[in-house]
Each structure stands twice: as structure tokens, then as C-alpha cells.
Amino acid sequence: DVERSRGLGDVYKRQAKRYLRFYWRLYKWEMWARYAWLEWVLPFEVIDLLFGLATWVYFGKALGSESPFLRPYGGDFLAYLILGMSFNAFLSYSLGGIYDIVSVLYTGSWSAFGVRMSMAEYISIARIPLSIWIVSRMSWGYFVSFLRLIVYVGAGVLLFGMRLNPSANYGLGVLALFLGICSAIGLGMISASMIWLVGAWHGNEPIRWFVRLLVSLASGVYFPPEVLPGWIRGVAELLPQTHSLRAARLAILRGASFGELGWEFLILVLMALLLLCGGGFLFRYSQELARRRGALSA
């Protein structure tokens, strides 16, 4: 039994090393594909971000930022806006990243020596696990989202005069973001499963489209959701993004404690568990269904 357990341990170690090699190679490939011409990509992306942020900042100044709806969040519209845009970059990518990555497997292609095949066929022949393919590309997307956060916060402090709260509870803010990301990944897996279940790989996928539509209006990315009609706020409470952004803002902008945010975190934990389990099950089931049918759509 001891020898057998050692043998299994060696097998698992070799498998883990193999997956890490796959991951690192795919990560480097993604970085090279995006920033092969760094001087022609990165500066323009940063300028786009700055001008987009400036548009919202001066829009808020033009209409007045002393709204009573901002008082629960510290009263600073600039800080409210920058935190929402920065954190929503992570949440939005978590929602749509898996669908985009999987759909490219069937719409993108790879060629060598006169042979052309879809990316799905390539990773199958190369024996690259789909999970490793998704994780490597998703991790790069989170790195880009982190760069966006740095640009937004840096511009807010250096260019627009954003004030940092000395009593901010950054740990709780990051925890709220993490739980929101987990919930959004669960929704993202449900969205990606529609590729196989209903053949939704030609354009917009209804679940992702509908959630993004609601989040941009009702979850408080750009303005406090309290200004909205009651029925829209009721729908927004069903979205994990609403609770994640609210808890993160209250923790960072007002310095709220865990005791004050306990209800928000309870909802986030329950949503994360439910959506991750449900999304994971549906994603695996849809893959198995596609393998049995030998087709993308039902």
C-alpha cells in the first residue's frame, strides 16, 4: 500500500508539472499575442482609459456631485466612480471571459505547414486540458484588469484630486470583490454552457447580455442605485455585482466594519456557492452533451 501511494503521488506530481508547463506556455503566448508591439498597444490603451474616466468625472462635476445619495459612501463622487469602474472591470471580465474564450475555440483557427484547424481541434490534438486553456487566458485578463485599476486610481489621485480614506478597510473591500468575482465566474460558466446547449456561439449570448445590461444600470457602477425606481432596485438585489460593489465601497470609502456588512457578505457567500456549483455542473454537463452529439448546438 505504501509503494502504491508513492506511485500515485509521483503520477500526480508529474501531472501537476505538466499542467503548469501548459499554463506557463499559454500565458506567455497570450502576453506576446497582445503586446508583441508594446509601444503601439499599451500607450493607446492607457490614453483610452484616461479619457473615458475624464468623461465621467467632468460629467459628474457638471451635474453636481453633492448628492444625498452619495453620503452613505463618504460623499465623494470621484472616489465612488473610480472604485466602481475599477472593480467592475474584474466583475465584467469574470462574467464574460469564459464565454469569449470558449467561443474563440470554434471561431478561431490555427495553421501550420498548410494544415488549418479550429482552436478546439488544436488543443484536443495537443492534449491541452480545456480547464488549463481557460485558466491561463482568464488569468491574463485579470492581470489586465489589475493594470486598469492602477491606471484609474493613479489618475484619480494625481490628476483629478481623489482623496483616499485613511480609515478605509481595504481587506474587507478586497474580500467583497473576491466573492463577487466567484459569483460572476459561476454566471460566466452558465453563460458559456449555452454554447453547447442552445448553440449560442454566433453572437450575443442571452444570459450574459441580460446580466450586463442590468449591471450597467442597476448595480451602482457609475451612480448610487438608490436613485432608481424601487422595482429596478429590487431586481438589482438579485445580482451579486450589486452586493459586491456596495460592500466594497462601504468598506473602503466609509471604513465600515465586518459587523456592519455582515448581511452583504452572507448574501455574497451564498451566491458564490450556489452559482459556482450550479455553473460548474451545467458547464460540465453541456460539454458531455456536446461530446455525445458530436455538435455544438442541440
Side-chain angles (χ1 to χ4, degrees), residues 77-139:
F77 172 73
L78 179 60
Y80 181 96
L81 174 68
I82 288 179
L83 192 64
M85 294 178 68
S86 301
F87 280 16
N88 190 56
F90 290 92
L91 298 172
S92 180
Y93 184 75
S94 301
L95 173 65
I98 299 177
Y99 174 87
D100 290 336
I101 291 167
V102 173
S103 62
V104 165
L105 292 177
Y106 301 100
T107 58
S109 62
W110 181 88
S111 62
F113 305 106
V115 177
R116 182 178 292 274
M117 64 184 74
S118 70
M119 293 301 296
E121 293 170 328
Y122 169 73
I123 69 167
S124 177
I125 293 172
R127 299 177 64 188
I128 300 174
L130 180 60
S131 59
I132 297 297
W133 178 270
I134 292 174
V135 169
S136 63
R137 301 201 68 184
M138 286 287 287
S139 63

Side-chain angles (χ1 to χ4, degrees), residues 43 191 237:
S191 171
E237 293 299 311

Side-chain angles (χ1 to χ4, degrees), residues 97-289:
I98 299 177
Y99 174 87
D100 290 336
I101 291 167
V102 173
S103 62
V104 165
L105 292 177
Y106 301 100
T107 58
S109 62
W110 181 88
S111 62
F113 305 106
V115 177
R116 182 178 292 274
M117 64 184 74
S118 70
M119 293 301 296
E121 293 170 328
Y122 169 73
I123 69 167
S124 177
I125 293 172
R127 299 177 64 188
I128 300 174
L130 180 60
S131 59
I132 297 297
W133 178 270
I134 292 174
V135 169
S136 63
R137 301 201 68 184
M138 286 287 287
S139 63
W140 173 254
Y142 286 123
F143 176 71
V144 173
S145 297
F146 180 71
L147 292 181
R148 287 191 173 201
L149 185 148
I150 293 175
V151 171
Y152 281 143
V153 175
V157 173
L158 300 177
L159 300 179
F160 301 113
M162 184 179 79
R163 302 183 302 274
L164 298 177
N165 182 8
S167 61
N169 197 332
Y170 292 108
L172 281 184
V174 172
L175 178 60
L177 175 62
F178 173 75
L179 292 173
I181 288 173
C182 291
S183 301
I185 287 174
L187 284 170
M189 288 191 288
I190 295 173
S191 171
S193 68
M194 297 299 110
I195 291 174
W196 295 288
L197 293 178
V198 298
W201 57 280
H202 302 284
N204 278 321
E205 189 281 311
I207 294 175
R208 181 178 69 159
W209 173 83
F210 184 65
V211 172
R212 279 183 170 173
L213 193 68
L214 283 177
V215 167
S216 62
L217 173 67
S219 288
V221 177
Y222 304 105
F223 53 83
E226 288 78 11
V227 304
L228 297 169
W231 68 271
I232 297 181
R233 295 202 306 271
V235 174
E237 293 299 311
L238 300 176
L239 299 173
Q241 290 89 338
T242 303
H243 299 279
S244 178
L245 290 174
R246 181 188 296 147
R249 280 190 171 115
L250 291 174
I252 294 175
L253 301 182
R254 206 185 70 190
S257 65
F258 184 80
E260 296 174 271
L261 302 175
W263 178 247
E264 298 290 347
F265 278 105
L266 176 61
I267 294 175
L268 282 170
V269 169
L270 292 176
M271 283 186 168
L273 290 174
L274 179 62
L275 291 171
L276 281 175
C277 292
F281 170 79
L282 197 59
F283 189 69
R284 293 293 299 271
Y285 171 76
S286 62
Q287 286 180 272
E288 184 59 33
L289 190 64

Side-chain angles (χ1 to χ4, degrees), residues 5-64:
S5 63
R6 287 178 180 174
L8 288 174
D10 291 338
V11 170
Y12 291 144
K13 286 180 182 178
R14 287 196 297 269
Q15 191 78 341
K17 289 180 180 178
R18 175 171 170 265
Y19 284 173
L20 285 174
R21 284 197 299 270
F22 274 136
Y23 171 83
W24 181 238
R25 289 171 183 171
L26 290 169
Y27 189 85
K28 288 194 296 183
W29 174 78
E30 181 72 19
M31 181 174 63
W32 175 256
R34 186 175 180 91
Y35 291 117
W37 293 277
L38 186 66
E39 68 277 13
W40 288 103
V41 177
L42 187 59
F44 294 95
E45 288 188 351
V46 172
I47 291 172
D48 284 342
L49 292 176
L50 292 177
F51 270 74
L53 175 61
T55 300
W56 279 101
V57 169
Y58 292 119
F59 179 79
K61 286 186 176 182
L63 297 181

